[in-house]
């Protein structure tokens, strides 16, 4: 029996167990995916213990994505993003990467969106935004970052090579853009979009990292003006696909994982 898992807090409503379990079943693997919530002060002990027990791999979510960095051998992508979400156990320190970048790249590709040469506005400067900036800069897009805290956007642009950065008022660049990536947590509680939805237009692709609810107020507004929309669930799916492939060296059963994820997210949205 191979064991994989997730460390974070909270993890109770995570969709990852359903998605990875579906992959193991589709591939006929004898494997389990388990969630853990270690104390932050015992994080290194938890990783050493997991290694000693033969656990094969761990996903990492809030609040450990950055705090785990000194305890792992981060690859160049995780180092650029400044956060880890996938650890492969075995050696010490364990190898670690950030599959949120692949999550963005593959979600765009799934929707036949090629960012090369496109003008992209990214809202946010936290972990998800950092992954999106890496993906789009590497793909050859012209990237503009708009964040509530303008200084954070500017630091990110300098670090990762974006074309410009500023406060949320600079999101007016959306009017001439091809892509809009909403990478803040705004929308999780039904809040209105962090940007003025009057800026949306039919030639825009609108990608929202938030996946609960699946249709955020921003995506609803984008649909209303005839824009192409990409739900955050696609990023969640493809970061999981990339983690599965890294851990197992197999092609992931993407459709089985998608169906399981859809079922789990729908269950999350159902009122109790
Ligand atoms: P984070 O590192 O805490 O960053 C939060 C970002 O949201 C910052 O840019 C912050 O701006 C901004 N923000 C927070 N409240 C705001 C408000 N009221 N108005 C405007 N901006 C606000 O979080 P994260 O890890 O990047 O996650 C962001 C979202 O992406 C979460 O909803 C998370 O669930 C989602 N996510 C999805 C996936 C996926 O696979 N779909 C993967 C990773 C994350 P300041 O800098 O000004 O504080």
């Amino acid at each position: 029996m191979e064991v994989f898992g997730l460390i974070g807090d909270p993890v109770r409503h995570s969709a990852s167990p359903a998605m990875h379990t579906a992959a193991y079943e589709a591939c006929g693997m004898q494997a389990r995916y388990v969630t853990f919530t270690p104390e932050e002060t015992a994080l290194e002990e938890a990783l050493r213990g997991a290694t000693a027990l033969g656990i094969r791999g761990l996903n990492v979510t809030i609040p450990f994505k950055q705090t785990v960095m000194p305890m792992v051998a981060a690859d160049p992508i995780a180092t650029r993003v400044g956060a880890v979400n996938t650890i492969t156990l075995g050696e010490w320190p364990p190898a670690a990467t950030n599959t949120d970048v692949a999550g963005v790249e593959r979600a765009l590709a799934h929707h036949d969106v090629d960012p090369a040469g496109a003008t992209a506005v990214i809202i946010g400067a936290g972990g998800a935004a950092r992954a999106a900036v890496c993906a789009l800069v590497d793909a050859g897009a012209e990237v503009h970052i708009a964040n509530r805290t303008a200084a954070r956007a500017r630091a990110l642009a300098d670090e990762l090579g974006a074309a410009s950065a500023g406060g949320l008022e600079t999101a007016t660049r959306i009017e001439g853009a091809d892509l809009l990536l909403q990478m803040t947590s705004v929308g999780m509680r039904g809040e209105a979009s962090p940007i003025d939805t009057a800026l949306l237009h039919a030639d825009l692709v609108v990608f929202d990292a938030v996946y609960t609810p699946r249709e955020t107020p921003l995506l609803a507004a984008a649909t209303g003006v005839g824009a192409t929309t990409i739900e955050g669930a696609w990023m969640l799916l493809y970061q999981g696909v990339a983690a599965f492939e890294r851990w197992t060296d197999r092609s992931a059963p993407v459709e089985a994982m998608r169906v399981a994820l859809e079922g789990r997210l729908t269950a999350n949205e159902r009122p109790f």
Side-chain angles (χ1 to χ4, degrees):
M1 174 72 63
E2 295 178 273
V3 179
F4 302 88
L6 169 68
I7 54 171
D9 189 11
V11 289
R12 194 169 144 243
H13 292 291
S14 170
S16 291
M19 186 165 57
H20 284 276
T21 301
Y24 308 147
E25 285 170 5
C27 294
M29 288 171 61
Q30 294 297 310
R32 292 282 181 276
Y33 188 98
V34 188
T35 60
F36 302 99
T37 301
E39 291 293 328
E40 184 141 9
T41 49
L43 197 52
E44 182 170 339
E45 273 175 272
L47 290 183
R48 287 189 183 274
T51 305
L53 289 171
I55 292 176
R56 296 275 310 278
L58 290 172
N59 282 133
V60 184
T61 189
I62 290 167
F64 302 135
K65 282 179 155 187
Q66 278 104 29
T67 43
V68 85
M69 290 283 287
M71 300 159 206
V72 298
D75 73 357
I77 288 182
T79 304
R80 274 178 77 209
V81 176
V84 151
N85 80 336
T86 301
I87 299 175
T88 305
L89 296 168
E91 306 287 309
W92 190 267
T97 189
N98 189 310
T99 65
D100 284 340
V101 179
V104 172
E105 290 167 350
R106 291 171 78 165
L108 290 170
H110 182 99
H111 291 81
D112 294 324
V113 176
D114 179 2
T119 300
V121 175
I122 294 179
I123 311 297
R130 292 181 68 91
V133 173
C134 274
L136 292 191
V137 167
D138 289 355
E142 181 186 301
V143 174
H144 302 276
I145 307 168
N147 188 49
R148 179 177 62 178
T149 309
R152 229 180 144 195
R154 289 193 200 102
L156 177 54
D158 288 348
E159 194 184 328
L160 296 180
S164 79
L168 288 176
E169 70 286 352
T170 64
T172 47
R173 285 184 179 274
I174 291 167
E175 283 172 322
D178 308 297
L179 300 175
L180 168 62
L181 289 91
Q182 194 304 109
M183 295 284 143
T184 76
S185 46
V186 178
M188 291 178 76
R189 288 166 210 86
E191 315 96 307
S193 155
I195 50 104
D196 180 358
T197 53
L199 297 167
L200 302 176
H201 53 84
D203 297 330
L204 201 60
V205 174
V206 181
F207 185 149
D208 200 330
V210 171
Y211 50 82
T212 309
R214 286 178 53 192
E215 187 182 59
T216 60
L218 173 65
L219 290 183
T223 301
V225 299
T228 302
T229 59
I230 303 178
E231 294 179 2
W234 290 103
M235 179 177 171
L236 184 61
L237 170 65
Y238 282 111
Q239 63 75 32
V241 163
F244 176 90
E245 290 178 344
R246 174 166 287 252
W247 288 331
T248 66
D249 258 341
R250 300 171 184 241
S251 293
V254 177
E255 182 56 14
M257 295 174 78
R258 188 197 66 75
V259 169
L261 179 59
E262 186 165 54
R264 190 69 186 90
L265 292 181
T266 306
N268 277 354
E269 283 183 20
R270 195 178 299 142
F272 288 100

